[in-house]
Amino acid sequence: MAVEFNSAASLGINTGAPNFSLLLEKITASELNRLKPDEGLKAKYEIGFASWKEVKGLLEDVKLTSETFLDRVTFNKKIATSSDPEIVTATADITAVPGTHPIVVDKMALYHQIGSQRYASADSIIGKGEFLIGLLDERPLVITIDDTNNTIQGLMDAINNEKIDISASIVELDKTDTPFQLILTSKRSGSEGRIIVDFNLLGGEPPLFLHRNNQPTRWYFAPRVGDLYDQAEDLTGSSSALPLISGEFVGDDDIDINFTVLNSGRIGVTENLTIAWQDTEDRSGTIKLGKYDYSPGDAIDVVDGVQISFQGGELVINDTFKIKANSENFNFFSTNTPPTINKPSTWQRQTTASGSPMIEGVYTGEDDDSYQLTVRKGGVIGVTEDLILDYISDNGEKGSINFGLGYKPGTKLTIGSGLTLSMQEGILQTGNESSFDVEPDIPSSYWWLFSDGNNPDRNSLFSKPLTWEGEKINSVGKDDNYDPRSRKSNAKKIIVGDYNLDEDKRYKFTVKGDGRIGVNTGLYLEWEDDKGKKSGTLEVGAGYKPGSALVFDGGLMLQLLDGYAFDNDYFYVDAFSPTIQPAQDAEVRVGVTETRQGGLKVVSSTNDMKNAIQGVTLHLHKAEDKLVTITIGEDREKVKEAIRSFVEAYNKALIYMKEALKYDPKTKISGPLQADNTLADIQDELRKILVDAIPGLPIDANTLPYAGININKDALIVFDEEMLDERLIADFERVANIFRNYAASNNSGIVYVNSRHSTEPSGNIGYEVDITQAAGKGFFRSEPINGPTIILPGQDQYIVELNGRQSSLITIDSGAWSVKQLANEIKKQIKKDDALKNIEYTVSVRNNRLILESGTYGEKSTANIRPVENINLAFTKGEIIAGKDVKGTINGHQADSSGRLLVGNKEFKEGGLQFIVTLTDAQITDKIEGNAIFSVGKGSIVNNYLDGQLKKSTGPVDTTIDNVGNHIQNLEDSLASQASRIERKRERLVKQFSRAESRISELKSQQMAFTNQGL
């Protein structure tokens, strides 16, 4: 402590003692010299105080790093990696189980999106009335359409102004006359986001979001090798394209319109396919139906508002059909009859032209001859590949001609003896036959050679059209008009039901077996869609009642009427959807084989899938038929970082303590805390903690060296990171248990959660855990609800209770509600309620019962739905089941419990030991359910020890620091007191000298006065 004194340099002038100041300083210095022992002791204490403060900080760092081992996340955190992050990534929580999971992402969750028909503008009128819109299993919202919003734009705005999970937009698709389309998009992904639309609008063109399907195509016949009636695939010999009539007749007089096929081919496939038309008023025109002219299904204007379309099929040259159109009819006795367009007549076959052969030439043979023509393989002349006709004569002329692909109808081909054969455009049936006779040129003078006895001149000039015999036109009439030997299916087909899938599909139906519908055994149809997604079989033989509806896919059903079906004949059914994007759930198969087969299918309404792998959330990015491996592993880097931080903190503290305690006998220099027993005890105890084995762990893995951590001769930790890596990979659990507190349970339904500092290890015997009651959730289950629930005005207010908390008044609009709609409405209301929105719960429908279930377990878990008034509705009547806490004992002592958590009684050594019990009542027996060996890891041991050493005010570290601080304070007080005493003494001497100086000065003044007076 420095002491400063006032200067006394001027003293001694009058007394003649000028060295008084020097004397005073010597006196003061002598007094101050007596303070030096205390000042030295104080300095020593101050160094010790600072050293203990440093020790405390370092030990606090060790304690802090040891607490990392007590955090469950340190050893339980899991890392999920994906072999293909472009398809799926994953995150894992602490409940995930390490392992590998091969998966395939089959589908992504999609937001439902549908489009209307096309409009000329956004201001197109849609009519007035009601437009209903909502999501699947939710009660639809009713939007009123009036003069203010009866356009596409107005409807879009009205939808977007409502608080519903659907958005509306208008897109301009192209630059055609009708480029605008209303698009509805769900805001909720998955199947639960499916949009449902209905309307009752008059006076405009309401937006249609309709599914539709066509009736089946004609039968396509399979080739039957060696059959007399063998026929090329897809050929019938008569027109099969079904004409469909649309439009509104605006003519003043009734008319007939006759249609004639000008050349053969397929609708939308064959080039330059044309039909001519002519009406009874002598108007005419042509319709182009070829590959580059027509898209099947498009309506084409004919005359006076009459429109015609073809979905597809086959046209044969010169076949005809007719349409009658009637004008508006006026009379005095009833209302006027509106104009009508009658259904088209059936196709009429013109036999004089299609496929007709023509024989021409000059016969050069010497004898009469007869030729036989036979169609070996039929087809369309000039179109079908390898359309073969064989010819043979009695005189041995024979050969084959190909009238198929490359042949130009009308071209003459030589068949020998000066004769040619040509074919008109059309179709030849396999097995068709024709014959003709020829005679050589005979002069009239050889009259006796004429078989009829006449003798006109005869020559061999030959030009003769032939007709075919044996032609089999497919008939769909009664069985007595049908020859089953033709082996061509003729059963009439009808599609009923409403198509409901979200994509366009073409279904192919193929006959398996031969016979009559509903009669022959082993007769069935195989069907498949063109997406390769679905297929099945329909039994149509013995036991099937013709006309019965058979369900196959997408809400569609097939009816087959009486008739025949033959093996491998087939037909198609086309179905169409307004869907732009389907309301699709995500689908993942978990546990697939290396060939991507099998696996457990898991479905989710979102692309963040939480229920596929325990403790793992899959984040789906795209669907692809590719095997992806999700690997769940421990976060070894986090463990290594925790150990590394602890080692660094421990070594830093031990090095400092060692320096503070050391004494060098050579230099006789000691550390600031040399011989401090408290610090030496702490150092020894920490070293002992790290060296000692952990009770309850296997002998070969109960000390730090197993984890690559050793204590050297200086008590410092030597950390072998490479060995630690190997151990973490080989046996993560064993390494973790050295550092953490852990209870190894032999029952997967009894899982260790946590423990207290005071929880004692169980040793190798373990703690027995006996469960007497499983935990349960509280729930409300309504009575069965069969049919809609009618909510009347005055019955619309309800209260939902969850875990003892009540919602505000919930209003459910009056009207008819299905049980699923009620469930979804209650779910929506809870989400909006301030009191309940953060509580976990589920609302579901099982066996037509509405179920509200709390998301938590325990006696505080409750659920109920009750009306404000005494209303007798099924969905508010039923059972209220309270939740249950788990019950049981740990180490033979009744444990505390809350929900699924079972906690050891604090009065015993297992006190604070916590387990989550997931066992059900069915899994609980009269026997002990489990045994758990509880061990206390190094982290807890170090933390507990340092917690005691560093305990504020009462711990040894704080006590020592306080004692040293008190010593310093006492010395400071003593030194201050002595300094004050010296100062007072000096001031007293100065005053004494000052008074003496003053007195002498007075005497000198008197002396001078006497002298001046001459005295």
Side-chain angles (χ1 to χ4, degrees), residues 50-93:
S51 296
W52 268 108
K53 281 284 190 181
E54 183 70 15
V55 167
K56 181 180 180 181
L58 292 171
L59 291 178
E60 285 176 339
D61 288 344
V62 175
K63 182 177 183 296
L64 185 64
T65 57
S66 72
E67 288 174 354
T68 307
F69 301 132
L70 306 181
D71 186 351
R72 292 183 67 208
V73 175
T74 300
F75 294 100
N76 292 339
K77 183 181 178 183
K78 306 299 189 301
I79 294 178
T81 57
S82 169
S83 62
D84 195 332
E86 292 186 359
I87 295 177
V88 58
T89 54
T91 53
D93 62 30

Side-chain angles (χ1 to χ4, degrees), residues 849-887:
R849 294 174 185 261
L850 178 66
I851 299 173
L852 172 66
E853 185 175 56
S854 170
T856 59
Y857 289 83
E859 295 177 357
K860 296 180 180 179
S861 172
T862 60
N864 190 22
I865 304 171
R866 60 180 176 86
V868 175
E869 302 294 338
N870 186 19
I871 300 169
N872 192 29
L873 294 177
F875 81 94
T876 61
K877 296 191 300 179
E879 300 176 275
I880 299 175
I881 309 298
K884 300 183 298 181
D885 289 329
V886 64
K887 299 292 183 183

Side-chain angles (χ1 to χ4, degrees), residues 283-399:
R283 293 174 293 183
S284 62
T286 58
I287 299 172
K288 300 291 187 180
L289 300 174
K291 179 177 181 180
Y292 301 108
D293 305 308
Y294 184 66
S295 176
D298 289 351
I300 299 174
D301 293 325
V302 181
V303 67
D304 288 345
V306 177
Q307 295 178 324
I308 189 170
S309 63
F310 295 86
Q311 293 296 338
E314 184 179 321
L315 298 178
V316 175
I317 187 171
N318 285 342
D319 281 2
T320 63
F321 69 91
K322 180 169 61 176
I323 295 173
K324 288 181 175 292
N326 301 319
S327 62
E328 187 173 10
N329 185 19
F330 297 90
N331 60 70
F332 296 102
F333 304 102
S334 63
T335 56
N336 298 334
T337 303
T340 58
I341 306 173
N342 297 326
K343 293 174 62 177
S345 67
T346 58
W347 283 102
Q348 301 297 312
R349 180 68 185 276
Q350 301 297 316
T351 60
T352 59
S354 180
S356 299
M358 174 68 73
I359 295 296
E360 297 179 88
V362 177
Y363 179 58
T364 59
E366 296 180 355
D367 299 309
D368 295 351
D369 205 353
S370 293
Y371 281 80
Q372 178 74 27
L373 306 180
T374 303
V375 178
R376 190 203 317 168
K377 184 172 178 59
V380 180
I381 294 172
V383 175
T384 302
E385 188 174 358
D386 294 334
L387 193 160
I388 307 299
L389 180 143
D390 297 327
Y391 65 90
I392 188 171
S393 74
D394 292 345
N395 292 334
E397 293 282 353
K398 64 179 180 179

Side-chain angles (χ1 to χ4, degrees), residues 510-514 521-526 540 565-569:
T510 304
V511 178
K512 294 300 176 184
D514 293 328
T521 59
L523 184 62
Y524 61 95
L525 296 178
E526 286 185 348
V540 296
F566 294 97
D567 195 45
N568 288 328
D569 286 357

Side-chain angles (χ1 to χ4, degrees), residues 887-934:
K887 299 292 183 183
T889 63
I890 301 176
N891 197 28
H893 306 120
Q894 188 64 44
D896 299 324
S897 62
S898 176
R900 284 181 160 182
L901 188 66
L902 195 69
V903 183
N905 192 317
K906 63 181 179 180
E907 300 297 328
F908 303 96
K909 68 176 191 175
E910 73 274 8
L913 186 58
Q914 300 177 10
F915 296 99
I916 286 289
V917 181
T918 59
L919 298 176
T920 64
D921 284 323
Q923 294 172 307
I924 297 174
T925 67
D926 294 336
K927 298 179 180 179
I928 302 297
E929 273 67 37
N931 184 282
I933 297 176
F934 177 67

Side-chain angles (χ1 to χ4, degrees), residues 16-75:
N19 292 326
F20 174 74
S21 295
L22 181 60
L23 177 63
L24 185 61
E25 290 302 323
K26 286 182 177 180
I27 294 172
T28 301
S30 176
E31 291 290 334
L32 290 175
N33 197 46
R34 296 169 60 186
L35 300 181
K36 285 184 179 180
D38 286 349
E39 287 178 342
L41 185 59
K42 174 178 172 286
K44 181 179 179 181
Y45 277 128
E46 285 176 338
I47 293 173
F49 184 84
S51 296
W52 268 108
K53 281 284 190 181
E54 183 70 15
V55 167
K56 181 180 180 181
L58 292 171
L59 291 178
E60 285 176 339
D61 288 344
V62 175
K63 182 177 183 296
L64 185 64
T65 57
S66 72
E67 288 174 354
T68 307
F69 301 132
L70 306 181
D71 186 351
R72 292 183 67 208
V73 175
T74 300
F75 294 100

